Amino acid sequence: MRRLVFDKPAVRVRPKELQTFLDKLKVRQAQEEIQAAKFDTFDQALSKRAKQTFKMDAESLSFVSVGVNMILLMFTGFVVCWYLARQAFGEESLWPLVFGLVGLSAAMLLEVLLFIVRDAKNSQREQEIQKNRQETRRRQEMYARSQAMKDHTDKLAAEAKLFSKGRGKAVPQTNGSPKRALDE
């Protein structure tokens, strides 16, 4: 039988201008990839820092908000109680000042109670979030274990199927489990 043998095709030679142009394109593409990698890394670091800063700003804003609320509520409590006592007892009496201070103290106690309620609600919410995270982690671990067990079971079933296709015959063992002996 004869074979047809062909000569290797001649290697196409690219013009030098085309080759230099392609080399320049490769260099430019490599530089752009390097720049993109640097920019992505910089963006990730910047966004991580911005998130941390925003979180700190949100926490400090929460504390400032509580402080401003307390000052405004105390001022309002003092003014309202002072005005009511002034209307009831007159301008020359010491009672408007006393009632103003009582209103200031009552407003301060009210703000403290509100702070305690908010803090309890936030801690309860954080506990629920933590519990949900733990539950999710546990479910993921259980799923991974079940997948590993399924893969192992499938592998064993495939091996048993291959082994039982007549490559050997069952030989009873003393412990009661059949074992295959390979035919030789």
Side-chain angles (χ1 to χ4, degrees):
M1 203 186 253
R2 292 175 112 193
R3 285 195 205 171
L4 293 174
V5 179
F6 294 106
D7 292 332
K8 285 186 175 179
V11 178
R12 283 182 54 196
V13 179
R14 293 181 177 163
K16 286 186 176 183
E17 298 142 353
L18 178 63
Q19 189 62 37
T20 56
F21 179 73
L22 291 175
D23 291 340
K24 287 180 183 177
L25 282 177
K26 285 180 184 178
V27 169
R28 187 182 304 159
Q29 183 180 10
Q31 289 173 347
E32 288 175 358
E33 288 176 359
I34 290 171
Q35 287 295 334
K38 285 180 184 177
F39 189 70
D40 287 344
T41 305
F42 178 74
D43 274 354
Q44 289 172 358
L46 186 62
S47 67
K48 184 177 181 182
R49 184 171 180 162
K51 286 178 184 175
Q52 290 174 347
T53 304
F54 179 72
K55 187 176 181 181
M56 289 183 343
D57 287 346
E59 289 174 1
S60 61
L61 184 63
S62 171
F63 289 124
V64 168
S65 173
V66 168
V68 170
N69 284 347
M70 183 172 243
I71 290 170
L72 286 176
L73 191 61
M74 288 169 52
F75 177 75
T76 304
F78 177 82
V79 169
V80 167
C81 288
W82 175 78
Y83 180 75
L84 291 175
R86 187 172 159 225
Q87 293 299 320
F89 298 109
E91 294 181 19
E92 300 298 324
S93 155
L94 190 60
W95 288 109
L97 182 62
V98 171
F99 276 100
L101 291 175
V102 168
L104 184 134
S105 301
M108 189 168 34
L109 288 174
L110 176 66
E111 188 63 36
V112 167
L113 288 174
L114 290 175
F115 179 76
I116 291 170
V117 168
R118 271 188 241 127
D119 189 46
K121 200 180 282 188
N122 285 341
S123 65
Q124 183 181 14
R125 190 176 306 141
E126 288 175 4
Q127 288 174 353
E128 288 176 5
I129 289 171
Q130 186 69 18
K131 185 179 176 183
N132 288 342
R133 284 182 184 160
Q134 289 174 350
E135 182 66 23
T136 303
R137 218 176 282 134
R138 186 184 66 80
R139 285 181 183 172
Q140 288 173 345
E141 289 172 0
M142 287 177 58
Y143 179 75
R145 284 187 205 140
S146 68
Q147 284 298 106
M149 289 174 64
K150 181 179 179 253
D151 293 343
H152 184 70
T153 305
D154 291 346
K155 183 180 174 185
L156 289 177
E159 288 175 359
K161 192 175 191 180
L162 284 174
F163 198 67
S164 67
K165 283 192 174 184
R167 291 185 3 181
K169 53 185 173 181
V171 176
Q173 291 291 321
T174 56
N175 62 3
S177 65
K179 185 176 182 183
R180 303 254 177 212
L182 293 175
D183 291 334
E184 296 187 25

